[in-house]
Structure formats: structure tokens, C-alpha cells
């Protein structure tokens, strides 16, 4: 279903030290900083600390999760939720992350389980960047609403485990059914495991092969439908997505939009 949940249904093809300083002079601080920078593992430790801080900033998990499909933003006022599907991808996810960082925008990344398992470094970079995680199943079967509850459970919970393992303990906050193929069972299952079912209002159609101008026109024309905007960083060449985000994000800010996350 286009618009509210998404475009035509399709199967996903995987293409693809800290230096302690007391009272010291400025020159001593500079030397200590340079020494820390050169220590083996210092960069990895800094990245791990960033991931830990991002995990600590995640929403609390004590309250029950609503099993209804969310489209609204958790940010009041004129706000948008940027969502990125079908990754992580070693070529396109870093480029998408760079554009988001450039404009200081946070997004929700809806990941395919095996992709997350294959690229745990990228999952950790997503978390370290302050973005949130979303379960997009194991196989991206857009007809899974016609499959058994056992199959749905394997697809959803299997992907959740792969993503959370790859993330090093960060939790998956949302579940997005491929092609909008939700069922009452899958929505409740996701909610029972801490994931809010996530829809969308604006489909960029960036996977259809149109030009950058067409993607931009589609998004600008549909923003009145609601705040949650769908893009992709996996499943094919996403150069047009990267270029579109690089143009649309500053335009959105100029229009007075802020950026939040889908409500939990």
C-alpha cells in the first residue's frame, strides 16, 4: 500500500587512553593529549565510550509498548522523523551517516537482520551517532502477513537478536514490517518485545530509480501527509538517496521543520 505504509511489495536481495592529569601546565596537557592519541586502541575505546553513552540515552524500557502502528513524532511542533531502510550497507550507510551528521539530524535505521550481522561496525556507528534502531526482519518478505505466526516470529525476533548483538547491547526501539505487511499478531509480538510498530507517511520512492529531482519533488509534495519520511540505504545503488538527503535536509530546516524520532 503506497503512502501510509509504503510502495509496492518486494523481496529484499542482499547485494551486496585516557591520560590522568592533575595540575599541569598547558604544554603538559598538549603532550599528554598527543600521547593518548597515539596509544593503540585509543580510537576504538573512544568509539566504544560513544556507543555506551548513546545506549544510556535511549528511551526507558519499563513502560509497556503500544502495539498500534506509529506515525507521529516525539518532538512537538513542526517536526519530521527521518527513517532509513534496508541496510546497513558498507557503501551507502556511511554516506548517509555523513549527510545526517553534516546537518545534525538524527534518524531511525530499519535494518535487515543478516545485513546487521554482517556489518556490526556500521550498526555501532549508527548507535554512536545518536540514531535509533528498527527491526526490518530477516528476509524482507513483503508477503509475510500471509505466512504463519511461527514464520512471523522467526523473522521478527531473529532480526531483533541479530541487530542487538551487532549493536553491542543497544536495544531495537521499533519494528517496521516490509512493505507494510503488518498483522495484529506481528504488531503485538513486536510490542511485547519492546519494539513499537512503525509506519510511514511520506515514501520518497528512492528505490524506484527516478532522478534526484523526482525524489525531492515527491518528498516535498507529500510532507503534508505526516512526519515520518522513508528513505533507503540498502538494497541497491543509493547515490540518489544520498544526493536527495543532502538537498532536502537543509531545505526542511529552512521550512521551519525540526527532527525527532517516532513516538514510543
Amino acid at each position: 500500500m503506497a503512502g501510509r505504509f509504503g510502495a509496492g511489495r518486494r523481496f529484499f536481495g542482499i547485494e551486496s587512553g585516557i591520560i590522568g592529569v592533575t595540575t599541569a601546565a598547558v604544554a603538559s596537557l598538549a603532550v599528554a593529549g598527543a600521547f593518548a592519541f597515539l596509544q593503540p586502541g585509543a580510537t576504538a575505546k573512544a568509539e566504544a565510550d560513544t556507543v555506551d553513552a548513546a545506549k544510556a540515552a535511549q528511551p526507558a524500557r519499563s513502560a509497556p509498548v503500544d502495539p498500534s502502528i506509529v506515525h507521529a513524532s516525539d518532538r512537538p511542533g513542526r517536526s519530521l522523523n527521518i527513517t532509513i531502510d534496508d541496510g546497513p550497507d558498507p557503501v551507502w550507510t556511511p554516506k548517509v551517516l555523513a549527510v545526517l551528521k553534516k546537518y545534525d539530524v538524527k534518524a531511525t535505521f530499519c535494518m535487515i537482520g543478516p545485513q546487521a550481522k554482517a556489518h556490526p561496525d556500521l550498526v555501532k556507528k549508527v548507535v554512536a551517532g545518536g540514531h535509533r534502531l528498527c527491526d526490518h526482519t530477516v528476509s524482507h518478505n513483503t508477503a509475510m502477513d500471509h505466512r504463519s505466526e511461527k514464520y512471523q516470529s522467526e523473522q521478527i525476533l531473529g532480526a531483533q537478536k541479530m541487530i542487538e548483538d551487532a549493536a553491542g547491547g543497544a536495544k531495537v526501539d521499533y519494528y517496521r514490517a516490509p512493505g507494510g505487511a503488518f498483522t495484529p499478531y506481528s504488531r503485538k509480538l513486536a510490542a511485547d518485545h519492546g519494539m513499537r510498530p512503525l509506519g510511514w507517511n511520506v515514501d520518497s520512492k528512492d528505490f524506484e530509480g527516478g532522478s534526484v529531482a523526482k525524489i525531492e519533488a515527491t518528498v516535498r509534495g507529500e510532507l503534508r501527509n505526516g512526519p515520518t519520511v522513508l528513505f533507503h540505504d540498502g538494497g541497491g545503488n543509493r547515490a540518489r538517496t544520498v544526493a536527495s538527503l543532502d538537498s532536502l535536509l537543509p531545505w526542511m530546516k529552512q521550512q521551519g521543520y525540526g527532527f525527532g524520532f517516532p513516538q514510543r
Side-chain angles (χ1 to χ4, degrees):
M1 181 184 299
R4 188 169 178 83
F5 293 125
R9 297 184 170 185
R10 54 202 167 85
F11 283 90
F12 181 86
I14 296 177
E15 298 178 16
S16 22
I18 299 175
I19 301 298
V21 178
T22 55
T23 54
V26 172
S28 298
L29 286 170
V31 171
F35 179 74
F37 178 78
L38 294 172
Q39 292 304 297
T43 300
K45 183 180 186 304
E47 289 183 355
D49 289 344
T50 304
V51 170
D52 289 342
K55 288 191 291 186
Q58 288 186 323
R61 290 305 188 89
S62 57
V65 175
D66 190 332
S68 67
I69 299 170
V70 66
H71 299 82
S73 178
D74 65 1
R75 181 183 182 277
R78 195 171 171 82
S79 184
L80 297 173
N81 306 320
I82 302 300
T83 63
I84 314 289
D85 283 20
D86 294 0
D89 180 275
V91 175
W92 304 112
T93 302
K95 295 180 185 297
V96 169
L97 285 171
V99 175
L100 292 170
K101 183 177 182 179
K102 178 179 178 180
Y103 297 109
D104 191 24
V105 172
K106 306 305 180 187
T108 299
F109 284 75
C110 300
M111 298 183 175
I112 304 295
Q115 289 293 101
K117 183 176 181 179
H119 305 289
D121 57 324
L122 295 179
V123 182
K124 291 181 176 68
K125 285 183 182 297
V126 168
V127 174
H131 309 286
R132 290 189 185 173
L133 301 173
C134 173
D135 179 336
H136 206 33
T137 75
V138 173
S139 302
H140 200 279
N141 181 354
T142 58
M144 64 181 291
D145 53 338
H146 298 295
R147 302 293 296 272
S148 69
E149 291 182 354
K150 180 177 182 294
Y151 177 87
Q152 294 176 56
S153 177
E154 291 170 347
Q155 287 286 311
I156 297 167
L157 301 186
Q160 181 185 26
K161 185 178 189 310
M162 290 178 191
I163 297 166
E164 291 184 348
D165 285 351
K171 300 301 182 183
V172 176
D173 291 307
Y174 308 96
Y175 163 63
R176 173 173 277 167
F182 290 100
T183 66
Y185 172 79
S186 68
R187 290 190 289 104
K188 184 177 186 304
L189 178 73
D192 287 348
H193 286 81
M195 300 179 289
R196 181 74 186 266
L198 175 59
W200 61 89
N201 308 103
V202 181
D203 186 347
S204 68
K205 306 283 199 306
D206 59 343
F207 61 86
E208 291 188 354
S211 66
V212 172
K214 184 176 180 181
I215 294 170
E216 292 176 7
T218 298
V219 172
R220 293 181 186 187
E222 292 190 6
L223 281 184
R224 63 184 180 274
N225 293 340
T228 301
V229 190
L230 169 62
F231 296 94
H232 297 80
D233 65 339
N237 186 320
R238 299 302 175 213
R240 290 180 296 273
T241 299
V242 175
S244 298
L245 284 168
D246 200 17
S247 175
L248 284 167
L249 294 179
W251 176 84
M252 289 168 173
K253 290 191 170 186
Q254 290 168 4
Q255 302 308 303
Y257 287 103
F259 299 89
F261 292 109
Q263 287 182 355
R264 286 266 303 162

